[in-house]
Amino acid sequence: MNGIAIRALVVCTLLGGSFAQSASAEQLSGYAFVKDETRAMQDDDFANPGLIAVETGAALFTTPFRDGGGTCAECHGSEGEKLDVQRIAAYPVYDAETKSIVTLQDRISGCRSKIANDALPANHRDLMALETFVRNRAHGVPVSVDTEGAERQALLERGEVLYETRYGLIDMSCHVCHTVYAGQYVRGQKISQGQTNGFPAYRLGTGEMANLNLRIIQCMNLMRAEPFRADSEEIKLLEYFLSARSNGLPIETPAVRY
Amino acid sequence: MNPAAKAIIAVLLGAALCRVGAAADPASSALPMVESYCQWQQTDLMINEPLCGLKGDAQRGRAIATDGNRGNCVACHNMPFADVEAYGTIGPSLAGIGGRYPEGYIRMRVVDTKSFNPASIMPGYYRDPAKIHRPATAYVGRTFLTAQQVEDVIAFLMTMK
């Protein structure tokens, strides 16, 4: 996305309506690309397997940290009711101090690390459950990643370069599948636009939860590429770029996806 | 949970697990030995000589083309097979391909379309491994298919008239 496109995106967001990611393609949630049964499963609170992760996360939220001192709930409320859902909808965020991208799981792990020296590695099951619980607090709130300012624009541009780079033996870029061929089929599987508003999501393809970070790794594995490390700058730049591209789409966490 | 929802979950989970199971089948996912790369000659967008002088086997080629862990051509292309249910729609249909093009043309497309059309998204099944960006560790130095597998697929495509 060039600067102009991003500015257009920001303007559209400010105008407060639905907007398209580009002039030609309508911005659609992954929800629009999955089968009817999958949508029904997501919409039914008794059938959506992702809600198990929400419950696990809720339990961890009130579980004391390793050193026995404190819980997430102590600061954020036992149901997470003291969390600001608008801010949760804005992740990943740019941290001006470290000049880097902080994802929601980074923030949660960082919080545990600061308070109780109890950090969890990226994409750890428990961390993903906590992320699912926290993001679920903002269910229905539109994704609203901040794209303002030169630093953020520069990072978004780097994210876009990564999005358009070819990887692995399949030698295709994210852009080819999720922008050019969205709506087409890969072996009977409809390709979506790779929007981020459903994550962490329950994946039928693996039978497990995946946050955005893991989903990108899984796509890179599909490309027979060496995936970016879960805590690498590259994958966070991709997460940031993809998430900004999802601005305006209501959060569906936990979505059910292929 | 109501019984209908349970049934839906069972069916969906079943389908998901079957796929995972299929992908993990060691017989079809075991990697062949790394072999040295045979150079090939392009003439008028055709590769007329078989790779490494090998002879293809059409029956093996059919299996490779439809196997999700090997050629997986059906990921993107339609082929007229009753026993393959899920096709892709990204590439043109390969039905009747052997009747439409000479063998050298087809070999060129399967080996490395990108060498003459950088914008192509058709994977180069025998593209020089040195040109692949960030291959998974297990695939470093390897082509997508071995020279023999490429010749098998081509032999098979030539039977589709």
Side-chain angles (χ1 to χ4, degrees):
Chain A
M1 197 183 300
N2 58 34
I4 297 174
I6 292 187
R7 269 191 289 281
L9 214 126
V10 171
V11 169
C12 294
T13 320
L14 291 177
L15 291 177
S18 58
F19 60 89
Q21 107 204 27
S22 77
S24 52
E26 191 193 351
Q27 186 203 38
L28 290 171
S29 165
Y31 187 82
F33 294 86
V34 293
K35 299 193 172 85
D36 289 344
E37 307 94 89
T38 311
R39 275 195 286 267
M41 195 174 184
Q42 174 175 324
D43 293 340
D44 180 344
D45 281 354
F46 293 98
N48 183 340
L51 287 163
I52 296 170
V54 174
E55 280 167 28
T56 308
L60 289 166
F61 210 70
T62 54
T63 305
F65 299 126
R66 194 170 52 185
D67 63 1
T71 62
C72 312
E74 238 161 64
C75 291
H76 303 296
S78 57
E79 303 284 320
E81 68 275 9
K82 292 185 201 154
L83 290 165
D84 179 345
V85 295
Q86 299 301 333
R87 281 175 54 186
I88 288 167
Y91 275 88
V93 297
Y94 170 66
D95 180 41
E97 217 165 281
T98 58
K99 298 202 183 314
S100 61
I101 298 298
V102 179
T103 62
L104 188 52
Q105 67 168 344
D106 290 341
R107 182 65 87 222
I108 297 170
S109 188
C111 215
R112 294 174 60 105
S113 151
K114 243 190 286 176
I115 294 170
N117 191 24
D118 197 7
L120 289 166
N123 301 350
H124 185 282
R125 261 187 109 80
D126 288 353
L127 185 52
M128 224 186 286
L130 278 165
E131 184 190 350
T132 309
F133 169 75
V134 169
R135 185 81 163 175
N136 175 254
R137 300 301 90 188
H139 192 274
V141 179
V143 176
S144 58
V145 172
D146 188 355
T147 60
E148 290 286 334
E151 291 92 348
R152 291 192 186 83
Q153 291 289 318
L155 292 174
L156 286 168
E157 269 165 41
R158 286 177 61 203
E160 180 172 38
V161 168
L162 291 166
Y163 182 76
E164 291 182 349
T165 302
R166 291 174 184 259
Y167 303 100
L169 280 195
I170 302 254
D171 205 22
M172 284 166 74
S173 66
C174 321
H175 176 264
V176 167
C177 278
H178 293 294
T179 302
V180 181
Y181 287 100
Q184 295 287 325
Y185 289 85
V186 171
R187 191 113 202 197
Q189 194 57 50
K190 208 177 210 180
I191 311 175
S192 74
Q193 297 171 351
Q195 302 288 0
T196 65
N197 56 310
F199 287 86
Y202 177 79
R203 282 203 60 201
L204 298 165
T206 59
E208 287 180 13
M209 293 299 292
N211 59 11
L212 182 58
N213 187 296
L214 182 59
R215 190 63 185 88
I216 294 172
I217 289 174
Q218 288 165 339
C219 265
M220 293 188 80
N221 285 335
L222 180 87
M223 289 142 84
R224 298 196 190 181
E226 187 61 23
F228 293 122
R229 280 203 347 262
D231 58 357
S232 63
E233 183 186 25
E234 286 96 337
I235 205 158
K236 288 177 199 179
L237 287 170
L238 271 171
E239 290 186 69
Y240 183 49
F241 171 76
L242 284 182
S243 301
R245 193 168 156 267
S246 291
N247 268 349
L249 290 174
I251 290 172
E252 294 173 18
T253 309
V256 180
R257 295 286 191 265
Y258 176 70
Chain B
M1 191 185 303
N2 68 48
K6 266 195 186 149
I8 291 175
I9 292 189
V11 170
L12 290 173
L13 286 181
L17 290 174
C18 288
R19 282 180 191 235
V20 172
D25 174 6
S28 52
S29 63
L31 289 173
M33 300 237 295
V34 180
E35 38 182 63
S36 59
Y37 185 71
C38 292
Q39 297 301 326
W40 40 269
Q41 197 67 53
Q42 176 206 299
T43 326
D44 299 331
L45 301 188
M46 303 223 236
I47 302 174
N48 293 314
E49 298 302 319
L51 296 175
C52 323
L54 293 163
K55 187 171 166 19
D57 176 295
Q59 226 176 336
R60 280 199 311 250
R62 185 193 196 279
I64 292 164
T66 53
D67 181 346
N69 288 310
R70 292 187 287 170
N72 203 12
C73 314
V74 290
C76 296
H77 293 281
N78 207 327
M79 286 185 189
F81 299 147
D83 57 335
V84 177
E85 22 159 320
Y87 289 99
T89 56
I90 289 182
S93 170
L94 294 180
I97 185 93
R100 273 181 284 147
Y101 297 110
E103 188 177 306
Y105 172 99
I106 294 177
R107 185 174 291 109
M108 181 75 245
R109 265 68 190 173
V110 177
V111 165
D112 192 2
T113 302
K114 264 168 283 215
S115 67
F116 64 89
N117 175 13
S120 170
I121 62 155
M122 164 78 192
Y125 282 88
Y126 202 73
R127 186 168 164 82
D128 185 345
K131 294 184 182 168
I132 301 293
H133 177 55
R134 278 190 89 89
T137 316
Y139 295 103
V140 171
R142 292 174 187 278
T143 49
F144 202 126
L145 292 177
T146 63
Q148 181 64 61
Q149 287 173 325
V150 169
E151 289 305 323
D152 291 346
V153 168
I154 289 161
F156 166 64
L157 293 184
M158 290 313 291
T159 66
M160 288 210 293
K161 307 264 182 188

